[in-house]
PDB file of all heavy atoms in Angstrom:
ATOM      1  N   ARG B 143      79.012 107.214 173.271  1.00 88.00           N
ATOM      2  CA  ARG B 143      79.307 107.142 171.844  1.00 88.00           C
ATOM      3  C   ARG B 143      80.512 106.271 171.541  1.00 88.00           C
ATOM      4  O   ARG B 143      80.529 105.539 170.578  1.00 88.00           O
ATOM      5  CB  ARG B 143      79.642 108.544 171.300  1.00 88.00           C
ATOM      6  CG  ARG B 143      78.543 109.537 171.450  1.00 88.00           C
ATOM      7  CD  ARG B 143      77.693 109.579 170.224  1.00 88.00           C
ATOM      8  NE  ARG B 143      76.622 110.541 170.398  1.00 88.00           N
ATOM      9  CZ  ARG B 143      76.631 111.764 169.894  1.00 88.00           C
ATOM     10  NH1 ARG B 143      77.656 112.179 169.195  1.00 88.00           N
ATOM     11  NH2 ARG B 143      75.614 112.571 170.079  1.00 88.00           N
ATOM     12  N   GLU B 144      81.551 106.424 172.323  1.00 89.00           N
ATOM     13  CA  GLU B 144      82.795 105.743 171.959  1.00 89.00           C
ATOM     14  C   GLU B 144      82.913 104.412 172.673  1.00 89.00           C
ATOM     15  O   GLU B 144      82.340 104.225 173.739  1.00 89.00           O
ATOM     16  CB  GLU B 144      83.983 106.664 172.255  1.00 89.00           C
ATOM     17  CG  GLU B 144      83.941 107.907 171.371  1.00 89.00           C
ATOM     18  CD  GLU B 144      85.224 108.706 171.425  1.00 89.00           C
ATOM     19  OE1 GLU B 144      86.284 108.143 171.107  1.00 89.00           O
ATOM     20  OE2 GLU B 144      85.172 109.884 171.802  1.00 89.00           O
ATOM     21  N   PRO B 145      83.641 103.490 172.063  1.00 91.00           N
ATOM     22  CA  PRO B 145      83.619 102.109 172.522  1.00 91.00           C
ATOM     23  C   PRO B 145      84.460 101.855 173.770  1.00 91.00           C
ATOM     24  O   PRO B 145      85.390 101.059 173.747  1.00 91.00           O
ATOM     25  CB  PRO B 145      84.158 101.339 171.317  1.00 91.00           C
ATOM     26  CG  PRO B 145      85.050 102.301 170.633  1.00 91.00           C
ATOM     27  CD  PRO B 145      84.474 103.661 170.866  1.00 91.00           C
ATOM     28  N   PHE B 146      84.115 102.510 174.859  1.00 94.00           N
ATOM     29  CA  PHE B 146      84.779 102.249 176.135  1.00 94.00           C
ATOM     30  C   PHE B 146      83.742 101.861 177.173  1.00 94.00           C
ATOM     31  O   PHE B 146      82.609 102.337 177.147  1.00 94.00           O
ATOM     32  CB  PHE B 146      85.545 103.479 176.612  1.00 94.00           C
ATOM     33  CG  PHE B 146      86.659 103.867 175.693  1.00 94.00           C
ATOM     34  CD1 PHE B 146      86.482 104.876 174.773  1.00 94.00           C
ATOM     35  CD2 PHE B 146      87.874 103.191 175.743  1.00 94.00           C
ATOM     36  CE1 PHE B 146      87.507 105.218 173.902  1.00 94.00           C
ATOM     37  CE2 PHE B 146      88.896 103.530 174.881  1.00 94.00           C
ATOM     38  CZ  PHE B 146      88.714 104.545 173.956  1.00 94.00           C
ATOM     39  N   ASP B 147      84.178 101.014 178.086  1.00 95.00           N
ATOM     40  CA  ASP B 147      83.270 100.581 179.143  1.00 95.00           C
ATOM     41  C   ASP B 147      83.467 101.405 180.405  1.00 95.00           C
ATOM     42  O   ASP B 147      82.529 101.625 181.155  1.00 95.00           O
ATOM     43  CB  ASP B 147      83.531  99.098 179.445  1.00 95.00           C
ATOM     44  CG  ASP B 147      83.301  98.245 178.225  1.00 95.00           C
ATOM     45  OD1 ASP B 147      82.140  98.026 177.880  1.00 95.00           O
ATOM     46  OD2 ASP B 147      84.306  97.833 177.588  1.00 95.00           O
ATOM     47  N   LEU B 148      84.706 101.829 180.632  1.00 96.00           N
ATOM     48  CA  LEU B 148      85.014 102.597 181.838  1.00 96.00           C
ATOM     49  C   LEU B 148      85.929 103.744 181.471  1.00 96.00           C
ATOM     50  O   LEU B 148      86.749 103.635 180.547  1.00 96.00           O
ATOM     51  CB  LEU B 148      85.726 101.708 182.867  1.00 96.00           C
ATOM     52  CG  LEU B 148      84.930 100.535 183.437  1.00 96.00           C
ATOM     53  CD1 LEU B 148      85.850  99.659 184.287  1.00 96.00           C
ATOM     54  CD2 LEU B 148      83.766 101.051 184.257  1.00 96.00           C
ATOM     55  N   SER B 149      85.837 104.827 182.221  1.00 96.00           N
ATOM     56  CA  SER B 149      86.813 105.897 182.032  1.00 96.00           C
ATOM     57  C   SER B 149      87.271 106.414 183.383  1.00 96.00           C
ATOM     58  O   SER B 149      86.509 106.418 184.346  1.00 96.00           O
ATOM     59  CB  SER B 149      86.221 107.034 181.186  1.00 96.00           C
ATOM     60  OG  SER B 149      85.333 107.810 181.941  1.00 96.00           O
ATOM     61  N   LEU B 150      88.522 106.822 183.422  1.00 96.00           N
ATOM     62  CA  LEU B 150      89.124 107.348 184.644  1.00 96.00           C
ATOM     63  C   LEU B 150      89.801 108.677 184.330  1.00 96.00           C
ATOM     64  O   LEU B 150      90.866 108.703 183.696  1.00 96.00           O
ATOM     65  CB  LEU B 150      90.175 106.364 185.168  1.00 96.00           C
ATOM     66  CG  LEU B 150      89.617 105.152 185.920  1.00 96.00           C
ATOM     67  CD1 LEU B 150      90.624 104.008 185.883  1.00 96.00           C
ATOM     68  CD2 LEU B 150      89.294 105.546 187.359  1.00 96.00           C
ATOM     69  N   PHE B 151      89.186 109.764 184.778  1.00 95.00           N
ATOM     70  CA  PHE B 151      89.718 111.089 184.497  1.00 95.00           C
ATOM     71  C   PHE B 151      89.531 111.995 185.698  1.00 95.00           C
ATOM     72  O   PHE B 151      88.703 111.718 186.565  1.00 95.00           O
ATOM     73  CB  PHE B 151      89.012 111.704 183.276  1.00 95.00           C
ATOM     74  CG  PHE B 151      89.420 111.053 181.985  1.00 95.00           C
ATOM     75  CD1 PHE B 151      88.847 109.854 181.598  1.00 95.00           C
ATOM     76  CD2 PHE B 151      90.400 111.615 181.201  1.00 95.00           C
ATOM     77  CE1 PHE B 151      89.246 109.231 180.426  1.00 95.00           C
ATOM     78  CE2 PHE B 151      90.815 110.997 180.019  1.00 95.00           C
ATOM     79  CZ  PHE B 151      90.234 109.799 179.644  1.00 95.00           C
ATOM     80  N   PHE B 152      90.293 113.074 185.712  1.00 94.00           N
ATOM     81  CA  PHE B 152      90.091 114.082 186.744  1.00 94.00           C
ATOM     82  C   PHE B 152      88.973 115.013 186.322  1.00 94.00           C
ATOM     83  O   PHE B 152      88.884 115.400 185.153  1.00 94.00           O
ATOM     84  CB  PHE B 152      91.378 114.888 186.970  1.00 94.00           C
ATOM     85  CG  PHE B 152      92.391 114.136 187.772  1.00 94.00           C
ATOM     86  CD1 PHE B 152      93.506 113.566 187.167  1.00 94.00           C
ATOM     87  CD2 PHE B 152      92.229 113.985 189.142  1.00 94.00           C
ATOM     88  CE1 PHE B 152      94.435 112.861 187.912  1.00 94.00           C
ATOM     89  CE2 PHE B 152      93.161 113.281 189.888  1.00 94.00           C
ATOM     90  CZ  PHE B 152      94.265 112.720 189.274  1.00 94.00           C
ATOM     91  N   GLU B 153      88.129 115.367 187.280  1.00 93.00           N
ATOM     92  CA  GLU B 153      87.071 116.322 186.989  1.00 93.00           C
ATOM     93  C   GLU B 153      87.054 117.399 188.056  1.00 93.00           C
ATOM     94  O   GLU B 153      87.480 117.182 189.184  1.00 93.00           O
ATOM     95  CB  GLU B 153      85.704 115.639 186.974  1.00 93.00           C
ATOM     96  CG  GLU B 153      85.435 114.886 185.694  1.00 93.00           C
ATOM     97  CD  GLU B 153      84.047 114.274 185.704  1.00 93.00           C
ATOM     98  OE1 GLU B 153      83.167 114.778 186.433  1.00 93.00           O
ATOM     99  OE2 GLU B 153      83.851 113.273 184.980  1.00 93.00           O
ATOM    100  N   LEU B 154      86.505 118.540 187.665  1.00 91.00           N
ATOM    101  CA  LEU B 154      86.394 119.664 188.586  1.00 91.00           C
ATOM    102  C   LEU B 154      85.210 119.440 189.511  1.00 91.00           C
ATOM    103  O   LEU B 154      84.076 119.332 189.058  1.00 91.00           O
ATOM    104  CB  LEU B 154      86.172 120.957 187.796  1.00 91.00           C
ATOM    105  CG  LEU B 154      87.417 121.767 187.455  1.00 91.00           C
ATOM    106  CD1 LEU B 154      87.055 122.868 186.477  1.00 91.00           C
ATOM    107  CD2 LEU B 154      88.019 122.339 188.734  1.00 91.00           C
ATOM    108  N   ASN B 155      85.457 119.401 190.819  1.00 92.00           N
ATOM    109  CA  ASN B 155      84.381 119.312 191.814  1.00 92.00           C
ATOM    110  C   ASN B 155      83.271 118.346 191.434  1.00 92.00           C
ATOM    111  O   ASN B 155      82.110 118.731 191.330  1.00 92.00           O
ATOM    112  CB  ASN B 155      83.771 120.699 192.038  1.00 92.00           C
ATOM    113  CG  ASN B 155      84.768 121.631 192.668  1.00 92.00           C
ATOM    114  OD1 ASN B 155      85.389 121.283 193.664  1.00 92.00           O
ATOM    115  ND2 ASN B 155      84.936 122.804 192.079  1.00 92.00           N
ATOM    116  N   PRO B 156      83.598 117.112 191.174  1.00 93.00           N
ATOM    117  CA  PRO B 156      82.558 116.159 190.787  1.00 93.00           C
ATOM    118  C   PRO B 156      81.663 115.829 191.973  1.00 93.00           C
ATOM    119  O   PRO B 156      82.052 116.007 193.126  1.00 93.00           O
ATOM    120  CB  PRO B 156      83.353 114.930 190.363  1.00 93.00           C
ATOM    121  CG  PRO B 156      84.586 115.008 191.187  1.00 93.00           C
ATOM    122  CD  PRO B 156      84.894 116.467 191.358  1.00 93.00           C
ATOM    123  N   LYS B 157      80.459 115.369 191.652  1.00 93.00           N
ATOM    124  CA  LYS B 157      79.547 114.976 192.738  1.00 93.00           C
ATOM    125  C   LYS B 157      80.086 113.731 193.431  1.00 93.00           C
ATOM    126  O   LYS B 157      80.032 113.609 194.643  1.00 93.00           O
ATOM    127  CB  LYS B 157      78.170 114.684 192.156  1.00 93.00           C
ATOM    128  CG  LYS B 157      77.472 115.929 191.608  1.00 93.00           C
ATOM    129  CD  LYS B 157      76.055 115.574 191.169  1.00 93.00           C
ATOM    130  CE  LYS B 157      75.574 116.497 190.066  1.00 93.00           C
ATOM    131  NZ  LYS B 157      76.079 116.095 188.733  1.00 93.00           N
ATOM    132  N   GLN B 158      80.579 112.837 192.604  1.00 91.00           N
ATOM    133  CA  GLN B 158      81.074 111.578 193.150  1.00 91.00           C
ATOM    134  C   GLN B 158      82.475 111.346 192.622  1.00 91.00           C
ATOM    135  O   GLN B 158      82.756 111.636 191.462  1.00 91.00           O
ATOM    136  CB  GLN B 158      80.187 110.438 192.649  1.00 91.00           C
ATOM    137  CG  GLN B 158      79.277 109.858 193.718  1.00 91.00           C
ATOM    138  CD  GLN B 158      78.799 108.488 193.309  1.00 91.00           C
ATOM    139  OE1 GLN B 158      78.531 108.260 192.133  1.00 91.00           O
ATOM    140  NE2 GLN B 158      78.683 107.577 194.269  1.00 91.00           N
ATOM    141  N   SER B 159      83.332 110.813 193.462  1.00 92.00           N
ATOM    142  CA  SER B 159      84.663 110.514 192.954  1.00 92.00           C
ATOM    143  C   SER B 159      85.224 109.319 193.702  1.00 92.00           C
ATOM    144  O   SER B 159      84.696 108.906 194.726  1.00 92.00           O
ATOM    145  CB  SER B 159      85.586 111.715 193.118  1.00 92.00           C
ATOM    146  OG  SER B 159      85.945 111.849 194.481  1.00 92.00           O
ATOM    147  N   LEU B 160      86.323 108.804 193.167  1.00 92.00           N
ATOM    148  CA  LEU B 160      86.942 107.642 193.791  1.00 92.00           C
ATOM    149  C   LEU B 160      87.660 108.018 195.074  1.00 92.00           C
ATOM    150  O   LEU B 160      87.651 107.277 196.061  1.00 92.00           O
ATOM    151  CB  LEU B 160      87.955 107.008 192.833  1.00 92.00           C
ATOM    152  CG  LEU B 160      87.404 106.090 191.758  1.00 92.00           C
ATOM    153  CD1 LEU B 160      88.513 105.668 190.821  1.00 92.00           C
ATOM    154  CD2 LEU B 160      86.760 104.872 192.407  1.00 92.00           C
ATOM    155  N   THR B 161      88.299 109.206 195.073  1.00 89.00           N
ATOM    156  CA  THR B 161      89.248 109.520 196.141  1.00 89.00           C
ATOM    157  C   THR B 161      88.872 110.752 196.946  1.00 89.00           C
ATOM    158  O   THR B 161      89.568 111.110 197.891  1.00 89.00           O
ATOM    159  CB  THR B 161      90.626 109.791 195.527  1.00 89.00           C
ATOM    160  OG1 THR B 161      90.475 110.839 194.549  1.00 89.00           O
ATOM    161  CG2 THR B 161      91.168 108.560 194.854  1.00 89.00           C
ATOM    162  N   GLY B 162      87.805 111.420 196.561  1.00 89.00           N
ATOM    163  CA  GLY B 162      87.569 112.719 197.159  1.00 89.00           C
ATOM    164  C   GLY B 162      88.471 113.746 196.488  1.00 89.00           C
ATOM    165  O   GLY B 162      89.283 113.394 195.622  1.00 89.00           O
ATOM    166  N   LEU B 163      88.344 115.008 196.900  1.00 92.00           N
ATOM    167  CA  LEU B 163      89.164 116.028 196.244  1.00 92.00           C
ATOM    168  C   LEU B 163      90.640 115.727 196.451  1.00 92.00           C
ATOM    169  O   LEU B 163      91.066 115.238 197.504  1.00 92.00           O
ATOM    170  CB  LEU B 163      88.826 117.414 196.803  1.00 92.00           C
ATOM    171  CG  LEU B 163      87.457 117.925 196.349  1.00 92.00           C
ATOM    172  CD1 LEU B 163      87.211 119.332 196.872  1.00 92.00           C
ATOM    173  CD2 LEU B 163      87.364 117.897 194.828  1.00 92.00           C
ATOM    174  N   ASP B 164      91.404 116.031 195.427  1.00 95.00           N
ATOM    175  CA  ASP B 164      92.824 115.681 195.427  1.00 95.00           C
ATOM    176  C   ASP B 164      93.639 116.752 196.168  1.00 95.00           C
ATOM    177  O   ASP B 164      93.096 117.763 196.598  1.00 95.00           O
ATOM    178  CB  ASP B 164      93.295 115.561 193.978  1.00 95.00           C
ATOM    179  CG  ASP B 164      94.390 114.533 193.856  1.00 95.00           C
ATOM    180  OD1 ASP B 164      95.061 114.252 194.865  1.00 95.00           O
ATOM    181  OD2 ASP B 164      94.560 114.006 192.752  1.00 95.00           O
ATOM    182  N   ALA B 165      94.917 116.512 196.310  1.00 95.00           N
ATOM    183  CA  ALA B 165      95.780 117.507 196.942  1.00 95.00           C
ATOM    184  C   ALA B 165      97.154 117.495 196.282  1.00 95.00           C
ATOM    185  O   ALA B 165      97.598 116.464 195.783  1.00 95.00           O
ATOM    186  CB  ALA B 165      95.929 117.204 198.434  1.00 95.00           C
ATOM    187  N   LEU B 166      97.798 118.668 196.276  1.00 96.00           N
ATOM    188  CA  LEU B 166      99.178 118.747 195.802  1.00 96.00           C
ATOM    189  C   LEU B 166     100.099 118.410 196.972  1.00 96.00           C
ATOM    190  O   LEU B 166      99.873 118.874 198.091  1.00 96.00           O
ATOM    191  CB  LEU B 166      99.485 120.168 195.318  1.00 96.00           C
ATOM    192  CG  LEU B 166      98.673 120.673 194.137  1.00 96.00           C
ATOM    193  CD1 LEU B 166      99.099 122.098 193.791  1.00 96.00           C
ATOM    194  CD2 LEU B 166      98.860 119.751 192.940  1.00 96.00           C
ATOM    195  N   ILE B 167     101.099 117.642 196.660  1.00 96.00           N
ATOM    196  CA  ILE B 167     102.024 117.280 197.736  1.00 96.00           C
ATOM    197  C   ILE B 167     103.400 117.067 197.110  1.00 96.00           C
ATOM    198  O   ILE B 167     103.528 116.409 196.084  1.00 96.00           O
ATOM    199  CB  ILE B 167     101.531 116.001 198.460  1.00 96.00           C
ATOM    200  CG1 ILE B 167     102.406 115.673 199.652  1.00 96.00           C
ATOM    201  CG2 ILE B 167     101.503 114.804 197.525  1.00 96.00           C
ATOM    202  CD1 ILE B 167     101.792 116.080 200.946  1.00 96.00           C
ATOM    203  N   PRO B 168     104.438 117.665 197.693  1.00 96.00           N
ATOM    204  CA  PRO B 168     105.781 117.474 197.130  1.00 96.00           C
ATOM    205  C   PRO B 168     106.341 116.131 197.577  1.00 96.00           C
ATOM    206  O   PRO B 168     106.298 115.808 198.759  1.00 96.00           O
ATOM    207  CB  PRO B 168     106.589 118.634 197.718  1.00 96.00           C
ATOM    208  CG  PRO B 168     105.855 119.024 198.958  1.00 96.00           C
ATOM    209  CD  PRO B 168     104.424 118.635 198.799  1.00 96.00           C
ATOM    210  N   VAL B 169     106.864 115.386 196.628  1.00 96.00           N
ATOM    211  CA  VAL B 169     107.420 114.068 196.951  1.00 96.00           C
ATOM    212  C   VAL B 169     108.808 113.935 196.333  1.00 96.00           C
ATOM    213  O   VAL B 169     109.138 114.606 195.366  1.00 96.00           O
ATOM    214  CB  VAL B 169     106.521 112.924 196.434  1.00 96.00           C
ATOM    215  CG1 VAL B 169     105.137 112.980 197.076  1.00 96.00           C
ATOM    216  CG2 VAL B 169     106.415 112.972 194.914  1.00 96.00           C
TER     217      VAL B 169
END
Side-chain angles (χ1 to χ4, degrees):
Chain B
R143 300 267 179 101
E144 295 191 58
F146 296 99
D147 300 285
L148 296 172
S149 76
L150 281 157
F151 288 81
F152 283 104
E153 281 182 24
L154 266 170
N155 294 310
K157 292 185 207 81
Q158 253 199 322
S159 74
L160 279 174
T161 56
L163 288 183
D164 211 337
L166 297 180
I167 185 102
V169 299

